[in-house]
Amino acid sequence: MPPTIRPANPDDPAWIIEAHGDLYAREFGFGPAFGEGIAAKMQAMLALDDPFTRLWVAEADGVRVGSIAVWRQAEDTAFLNFVLVDPVCRGHGLAERLMSRAIAHARDHGLARLRLETYSCLEAARRLYARMGFELAEVEPEVERFGRTFDREFWTLPL
């Protein structure tokens, strides 16, 4: 059965933080500071008092397998974060479905653009963002974080 996408429950943020830390350590060699950064971003997002903010979780057979969040960054701009798909569910369009949900939400609320942050070492994610119409807007080269060196990138999608 294909994964379903639902609004997050109160216990989902802890799973999202843990899943990001585990996956990025395993797949990209990121150190513990990455998970700490995800936790700080999650805390900041949850503290927002804006009904636009959304966090979704994908489930397959009752098991969490993906996530995405979107919140208002400026009056006309939303920020996309916590994009994650469990490796066992990759290659079946789940990432595109999660992205489409967040993009539609931003469009439905009349925002002009959607932004996201990624890193040059996340090649599959970067290909996904390009397929979804995002364009590279800003690059901070040779950033040393999480025990790695990479280009920090910001991508933008006009809505």
Side-chain angles (χ1 to χ4, degrees):
M1 185 148 189
T4 58
I5 300 172
R6 61 165 174 77
N9 293 325
D11 59 338
D12 289 327
W15 172 81
I16 292 168
I17 294 165
E18 181 180 352
H20 272 78
D22 291 348
L23 186 119
Y24 280 73
R26 193 171 54 249
E27 292 191 355
F28 305 106
F30 283 15
F34 179 77
E36 294 163 7
I38 292 294
K41 287 178 184 179
M42 180 66 73
Q43 184 178 15
M45 185 200 73
L46 294 174
L48 294 174
D49 185 22
D50 184 352
F52 172 80
T53 302
R54 292 289 186 273
L55 177 61
W56 293 278
V57 170
E59 283 188 346
D61 298 322
V63 176
R64 292 177 282 217
V65 294
S67 65
I68 197 165
V70 64
W71 62 85
R72 192 180 312 269
Q73 186 176 39
E75 185 62 32
D76 64 348
T77 304
F79 192 78
L80 192 70
N81 209 333
F82 310 126
V83 180
L84 181 81
V85 173
D86 188 289
V88 301
C89 291
R90 291 182 186 158
H92 302 286
L94 180 56
E96 288 89 347
R97 288 178 51 215
L98 287 162
M99 296 281 294
S100 294
R101 175 75 53 103
I103 291 167
H105 181 70
R107 281 188 177 132
D108 290 348
H109 284 80
L111 276 77
R113 76 190 54 78
L114 197 52
R115 275 178 56 90
L116 61 82
E117 175 185 355
T118 193
Y119 310 123
S120 57
C121 58
L122 306 182
E123 295 173 10
R126 294 170 74 250
R127 286 191 302 273
L128 167 68
Y129 303 145
R131 272 196 321 273
M132 299 297 294
F134 284 79
E135 296 179 353
L136 183 59
E138 183 182 333
V139 177
E140 185 181 342
E142 301 297 315
V143 172
E144 293 183 25
R145 293 175 78 185
F146 321 126
R148 297 276 319 263
T149 301
F150 48 78
D151 294 346
R152 181 180 184 204
E153 302 175 346
F154 289 90
W155 292 57
T156 303
L157 175 70
L159 300 172

